[in-house]
Amino acid sequence: MDIDLSGRRALVSGSSQGIGLAIATELARAGAAVVVNGRGDDKTRHAARSITDRLPDADVTAVAADLATADGAAELHARVPDVDILVNNLGIFGARPVLEIDDDEWRRYFEVNVLSAVRLTRTYLPGMMERRWGRVLNIASDSAVVIPAEMVHYGMTKTALLAVTRGFAKAAAGTGVTVNSVIVGPTHTPGVETFVGELVGEDVPWDEAERRFMREHRPGSLIQRLIEPTEIGNVIVYLSSEFSSATTGGAVRADGGYVDSILP
């Protein structure tokens, strides 16, 4: 399957590292002009350079803005008025016993993980609908379906994203614009390495730590390893293409078979 996204502009929120950076890189590899986003100027510019270092012909723009705030979303929109592909990747996670999560932390997780996606979709979806083409992709998680006991607040936000996705897809019905979520499984990122260390011990060598994490905390994974970020990027490239035109309002799984269900 030859996917060519030339002529499309893609915005990936929270793409200065990890899964977001991998998604931005693969979209650029497929020919899309990519807007990389992070909160800090230096880190965001460094992420953009890391893409052009690998793909010298790539069209990459770095825009620093805190998309967990309405002001940050407005700042981004002023600099990037229209996009064809919106990937709402921005998110935070961390382990905390559910009885210790206070109101402020519940609100922070909702603001960052859910409202950032709602704001950007509300901003860019109308233009896509007017042009009769567009792709909105929300990065959800297996935690949306299998709520982890150690981070219920995170799981709650990812469940909310599935509902948000379905609702916006209905708003775009019949316009040629698709809106989907991607249920991402345990993925190998620097943040996850830290998270794994917190659960199994900081002094455990990485290979053993990964095996223990998967065995003790994610035993349902059918691939029995962490997913690599590029594997998520490949799914996003397909869903951003013409080939995915019949897929909308869905929750597409890229979870390594972790969710033990035929349907999401």
Side-chain angles (χ1 to χ4, degrees), residues 84-242:
D84 304 295
I85 301 162
L86 170 63
V87 183
N88 289 309
N89 169 76
L90 177 63
I92 55 175
F93 68 95
R96 188 179 297 278
V98 67
L99 295 177
E100 297 178 9
I101 304 171
D102 62 21
D103 287 0
D104 287 342
E105 191 161 6
W106 281 107
R107 292 189 188 97
R108 183 169 72 94
Y109 268 70
F110 191 80
E111 285 276 350
V112 176
N113 293 3
V114 182
L115 277 185
S116 67
V118 169
R119 289 191 189 100
L120 290 184
T121 304
R122 194 172 56 210
T123 296
Y124 289 109
L125 183 60
M128 296 179 188
M129 294 168 62
E130 183 178 340
R131 294 188 298 274
R132 309 290 293 182
W133 198 95
R135 300 287 186 264
V136 178
L137 295 161
N138 294 320
I139 303 303
S141 166
D142 57 79
S143 297
V145 184
V146 185
I147 303 294
E150 73 275 7
M151 46 183 187
V152 175
H153 52 341
Y154 172 76
M156 173 275 298
T157 63
K158 295 303 182 177
T159 306
L161 273 183
L162 301 186
V164 164
T165 297
R166 185 69 183 176
F168 278 119
K170 290 181 178 181
T175 66
V177 179
T178 65
V179 184
N180 291 290
S181 57
V182 177
I183 296 179
V184 175
T187 303
H188 186 189
T189 66
V192 168
E193 286 193 12
T194 300
F195 178 65
V196 169
E198 291 172 354
L199 292 178
V200 305
E202 302 286 352
D203 58 343
V204 179
W206 171 247
D207 288 346
E208 175 60 23
E210 180 182 4
R211 285 192 294 270
R212 283 184 53 186
F213 172 74
M214 298 306 293
R215 183 174 64 248
E216 297 171 10
H217 298 277
R218 299 294 185 270
S221 170
L222 299 184
I223 62 174
Q224 299 181 4
R225 62 169 174 82
L226 290 173
I227 299 163
E228 292 301 320
T230 297
E231 295 177 291
I232 305 303
N234 292 337
V235 174
I236 296 298
V237 168
Y238 165 72
L239 290 173
S240 299
S241 74
E242 299 284 355

Side-chain angles (χ1 to χ4, degrees), residues 5-16:
L5 298 180
S6 299
R8 305 296 189 190
R9 180 170 297 278
L11 164 63
V12 185
S13 70
S15 50
S16 62

Side-chain angles (χ1 to χ4, degrees), residues 38-63:
R39 285 187 301 173
D41 283 320
D42 290 345
K43 192 171 184 179
T44 305
R45 290 196 188 99
H46 182 268
R49 284 196 301 272
S50 75
I51 297 176
T52 54
D53 285 346
R54 297 176 64 182
L55 305 167
D57 295 330
D59 182 348
V60 184
T61 304
V63 178

